[in-house]
PDB file of all heavy atoms in Angstrom:
ATOM      1  N   PRO A 616     294.600 -53.167 174.501  1.00  0.00           N
ATOM      2  CA  PRO A 616     294.695 -54.623 174.437  1.00  0.00           C
ATOM      3  C   PRO A 616     295.378 -55.253 175.636  1.00  0.00           C
ATOM      4  O   PRO A 616     294.989 -56.361 176.060  1.00  0.00           O
ATOM      5  CB  PRO A 616     295.506 -54.843 173.147  1.00  0.00           C
ATOM      6  CG  PRO A 616     295.157 -53.672 172.291  1.00  0.00           C
ATOM      7  CD  PRO A 616     295.036 -52.517 173.244  1.00  0.00           C
ATOM      8  N   ASP A 617     296.371 -54.571 176.217  1.00  0.00           N
ATOM      9  CA  ASP A 617     297.099 -55.145 177.348  1.00  0.00           C
ATOM     10  C   ASP A 617     297.049 -54.254 178.586  1.00  0.00           C
ATOM     11  O   ASP A 617     297.928 -54.308 179.428  1.00  0.00           O
ATOM     12  CB  ASP A 617     298.552 -55.430 176.956  1.00  0.00           C
ATOM     13  CG  ASP A 617     299.294 -54.170 176.523  1.00  0.00           C
ATOM     14  OD1 ASP A 617     298.654 -53.095 176.425  1.00  0.00           O
ATOM     15  OD2 ASP A 617     300.517 -54.256 176.280  1.00  0.00           O
ATOM     16  N   ARG A 618     295.998 -53.438 178.708  1.00  0.00           N
ATOM     17  CA  ARG A 618     295.878 -52.552 179.874  1.00  0.00           C
ATOM     18  C   ARG A 618     294.428 -52.511 180.344  1.00  0.00           C
ATOM     19  O   ARG A 618     293.526 -52.204 179.564  1.00  0.00           O
ATOM     20  CB  ARG A 618     296.363 -51.145 179.557  1.00  0.00           C
ATOM     21  CG  ARG A 618     296.315 -50.211 180.787  1.00  0.00           C
ATOM     22  CD  ARG A 618     297.178 -48.971 180.550  1.00  0.00           C
ATOM     23  NE  ARG A 618     296.656 -48.132 179.489  1.00  0.00           N
ATOM     24  CZ  ARG A 618     295.816 -47.108 179.690  1.00  0.00           C
ATOM     25  NH1 ARG A 618     295.421 -46.809 180.928  1.00  0.00           N
ATOM     26  NH2 ARG A 618     295.397 -46.377 178.672  1.00  0.00           N
ATOM     27  N   PHE A 619     294.257 -52.807 181.631  1.00  0.00           N
ATOM     28  CA  PHE A 619     292.931 -52.840 182.232  1.00  0.00           C
ATOM     29  C   PHE A 619     292.920 -51.978 183.501  1.00  0.00           C
ATOM     30  O   PHE A 619     293.901 -51.948 184.246  1.00  0.00           O
ATOM     31  CB  PHE A 619     292.546 -54.272 182.620  1.00  0.00           C
ATOM     32  CG  PHE A 619     292.423 -55.210 181.454  1.00  0.00           C
ATOM     33  CD1 PHE A 619     293.550 -55.788 180.877  1.00  0.00           C
ATOM     34  CD2 PHE A 619     291.180 -55.523 180.941  1.00  0.00           C
ATOM     35  CE1 PHE A 619     293.443 -56.660 179.820  1.00  0.00           C
ATOM     36  CE2 PHE A 619     291.055 -56.407 179.873  1.00  0.00           C
ATOM     37  CZ  PHE A 619     292.190 -56.975 179.306  1.00  0.00           C
ATOM     38  N   GLN A 620     291.807 -51.298 183.720  1.00  0.00           N
ATOM     39  CA  GLN A 620     291.569 -50.623 184.998  1.00  0.00           C
ATOM     40  C   GLN A 620     290.507 -51.424 185.739  1.00  0.00           C
ATOM     41  O   GLN A 620     289.424 -51.670 185.215  1.00  0.00           O
ATOM     42  CB  GLN A 620     291.110 -49.186 184.813  1.00  0.00           C
ATOM     43  CG  GLN A 620     290.833 -48.471 186.125  1.00  0.00           C
ATOM     44  CD  GLN A 620     290.475 -47.014 185.937  1.00  0.00           C
ATOM     45  OE1 GLN A 620     291.247 -46.245 185.367  1.00  0.00           O
ATOM     46  NE2 GLN A 620     289.306 -46.610 186.414  1.00  0.00           N
ATOM     47  N   VAL A 621     290.830 -51.812 186.972  1.00  0.00           N
ATOM     48  CA  VAL A 621     289.957 -52.683 187.750  1.00  0.00           C
ATOM     49  C   VAL A 621     289.452 -51.937 188.974  1.00  0.00           C
ATOM     50  O   VAL A 621     290.239 -51.453 189.792  1.00  0.00           O
ATOM     51  CB  VAL A 621     290.708 -53.961 188.186  1.00  0.00           C
ATOM     52  CG1 VAL A 621     289.801 -54.844 189.047  1.00  0.00           C
ATOM     53  CG2 VAL A 621     291.214 -54.731 186.974  1.00  0.00           C
ATOM     54  N   GLY A 622     288.155 -51.830 189.095  1.00  0.00           N
ATOM     55  CA  GLY A 622     287.548 -51.290 190.308  1.00  0.00           C
ATOM     56  C   GLY A 622     287.353 -52.419 191.293  1.00  0.00           C
ATOM     57  O   GLY A 622     286.619 -53.373 191.017  1.00  0.00           O
ATOM     58  N   ALA A 623     288.038 -52.336 192.436  1.00  0.00           N
ATOM     59  CA  ALA A 623     288.057 -53.431 193.413  1.00  0.00           C
ATOM     60  C   ALA A 623     287.523 -52.940 194.755  1.00  0.00           C
ATOM     61  O   ALA A 623     287.019 -51.811 194.876  1.00  0.00           O
ATOM     62  CB  ALA A 623     289.471 -53.981 193.547  1.00  0.00           C
ATOM     63  N   ASN A 624     287.634 -53.776 195.776  1.00  0.00           N
ATOM     64  CA  ASN A 624     287.047 -53.453 197.078  1.00  0.00           C
ATOM     65  C   ASN A 624     288.068 -53.195 198.177  1.00  0.00           C
ATOM     66  O   ASN A 624     287.957 -52.216 198.887  1.00  0.00           O
ATOM     67  CB  ASN A 624     286.102 -54.578 197.516  1.00  0.00           C
ATOM     68  CG  ASN A 624     284.801 -54.563 196.755  1.00  0.00           C
ATOM     69  OD1 ASN A 624     284.027 -53.624 196.861  1.00  0.00           O
ATOM     70  ND2 ASN A 624     284.558 -55.597 195.962  1.00  0.00           N
ATOM     71  N   SER A 625     289.039 -54.070 198.336  1.00  0.00           N
ATOM     72  CA  SER A 625     289.908 -53.978 199.508  1.00  0.00           C
ATOM     73  C   SER A 625     291.335 -54.308 199.128  1.00  0.00           C
ATOM     74  O   SER A 625     291.599 -54.843 198.039  1.00  0.00           O
ATOM     75  CB  SER A 625     289.429 -54.944 200.594  1.00  0.00           C
ATOM     76  OG  SER A 625     289.780 -56.269 200.254  1.00  0.00           O
ATOM     77  N   PRO A 626     292.300 -54.030 200.022  1.00  0.00           N
ATOM     78  CA  PRO A 626     293.676 -54.447 199.754  1.00  0.00           C
ATOM     79  C   PRO A 626     293.803 -55.951 199.527  1.00  0.00           C
ATOM     80  O   PRO A 626     294.732 -56.400 198.862  1.00  0.00           O
ATOM     81  CB  PRO A 626     294.430 -54.011 201.020  1.00  0.00           C
ATOM     82  CG  PRO A 626     293.617 -52.901 201.595  1.00  0.00           C
ATOM     83  CD  PRO A 626     292.191 -53.255 201.277  1.00  0.00           C
ATOM     84  N   ALA A 627     292.866 -56.727 200.071  1.00  0.00           N
ATOM     85  CA  ALA A 627     292.923 -58.176 199.883  1.00  0.00           C
ATOM     86  C   ALA A 627     292.758 -58.560 198.416  1.00  0.00           C
ATOM     87  O   ALA A 627     293.286 -59.591 197.977  1.00  0.00           O
ATOM     88  CB  ALA A 627     291.849 -58.861 200.731  1.00  0.00           C
ATOM     89  N   ASP A 628     292.028 -57.761 197.631  1.00  0.00           N
ATOM     90  CA  ASP A 628     291.868 -58.062 196.211  1.00  0.00           C
ATOM     91  C   ASP A 628     293.207 -57.981 195.488  1.00  0.00           C
ATOM     92  O   ASP A 628     293.552 -58.858 194.687  1.00  0.00           O
ATOM     93  CB  ASP A 628     290.873 -57.090 195.567  1.00  0.00           C
ATOM     94  CG  ASP A 628     289.472 -57.246 196.105  1.00  0.00           C
ATOM     95  OD1 ASP A 628     289.183 -58.278 196.737  1.00  0.00           O
ATOM     96  OD2 ASP A 628     288.652 -56.327 195.913  1.00  0.00           O
ATOM     97  N   LEU A 629     293.953 -56.910 195.760  1.00  0.00           N
ATOM     98  CA  LEU A 629     295.273 -56.771 195.148  1.00  0.00           C
ATOM     99  C   LEU A 629     296.177 -57.907 195.592  1.00  0.00           C
ATOM    100  O   LEU A 629     296.909 -58.498 194.791  1.00  0.00           O
ATOM    101  CB  LEU A 629     295.884 -55.417 195.515  1.00  0.00           C
ATOM    102  CG  LEU A 629     297.301 -55.152 194.993  1.00  0.00           C
ATOM    103  CD1 LEU A 629     297.327 -55.166 193.476  1.00  0.00           C
ATOM    104  CD2 LEU A 629     297.830 -53.826 195.534  1.00  0.00           C
ATOM    105  N   ASP A 630     296.142 -58.239 196.873  1.00  0.00           N
ATOM    106  CA  ASP A 630     296.975 -59.315 197.397  1.00  0.00           C
ATOM    107  C   ASP A 630     296.652 -60.635 196.701  1.00  0.00           C
ATOM    108  O   ASP A 630     297.556 -61.383 196.295  1.00  0.00           O
ATOM    109  CB  ASP A 630     296.758 -59.425 198.906  1.00  0.00           C
ATOM    110  CG  ASP A 630     297.633 -60.490 199.551  1.00  0.00           C
ATOM    111  OD1 ASP A 630     298.817 -60.210 199.776  1.00  0.00           O
ATOM    112  OD2 ASP A 630     297.123 -61.597 199.816  1.00  0.00           O
ATOM    113  N   TRP A 631     295.368 -60.938 196.552  1.00  0.00           N
ATOM    114  CA  TRP A 631     294.924 -62.179 195.917  1.00  0.00           C
ATOM    115  C   TRP A 631     295.411 -62.241 194.468  1.00  0.00           C
ATOM    116  O   TRP A 631     295.924 -63.273 194.004  1.00  0.00           O
ATOM    117  CB  TRP A 631     293.402 -62.260 195.982  1.00  0.00           C
ATOM    118  CG  TRP A 631     292.759 -63.414 195.289  1.00  0.00           C
ATOM    119  CD1 TRP A 631     292.118 -63.394 194.088  1.00  0.00           C
ATOM    120  CD2 TRP A 631     292.637 -64.771 195.760  1.00  0.00           C
ATOM    121  NE1 TRP A 631     291.617 -64.624 193.779  1.00  0.00           N
ATOM    122  CE2 TRP A 631     291.912 -65.493 194.784  1.00  0.00           C
ATOM    123  CE3 TRP A 631     293.065 -65.429 196.903  1.00  0.00           C
ATOM    124  CZ2 TRP A 631     291.607 -66.843 194.921  1.00  0.00           C
ATOM    125  CZ3 TRP A 631     292.764 -66.777 197.042  1.00  0.00           C
ATOM    126  CH2 TRP A 631     292.051 -67.474 196.070  1.00  0.00           C
ATOM    127  N   LEU A 632     295.262 -61.145 193.743  1.00  0.00           N
ATOM    128  CA  LEU A 632     295.667 -61.132 192.342  1.00  0.00           C
ATOM    129  C   LEU A 632     297.182 -61.241 192.195  1.00  0.00           C
ATOM    130  O   LEU A 632     297.689 -61.965 191.332  1.00  0.00           O
ATOM    131  CB  LEU A 632     295.142 -59.866 191.667  1.00  0.00           C
ATOM    132  CG  LEU A 632     293.619 -59.781 191.501  1.00  0.00           C
ATOM    133  CD1 LEU A 632     293.198 -58.401 191.015  1.00  0.00           C
ATOM    134  CD2 LEU A 632     293.113 -60.860 190.543  1.00  0.00           C
TER     135      LEU A 632
END
Side-chain angles (χ1 to χ4, degrees):
D617 60 354
R618 183 163 66 92
F619 296 80
Q620 179 176 302
V621 178
N624 285 296
S625 75
D628 295 344
L629 177 62
D630 182 79
W631 175 257
L632 292 171

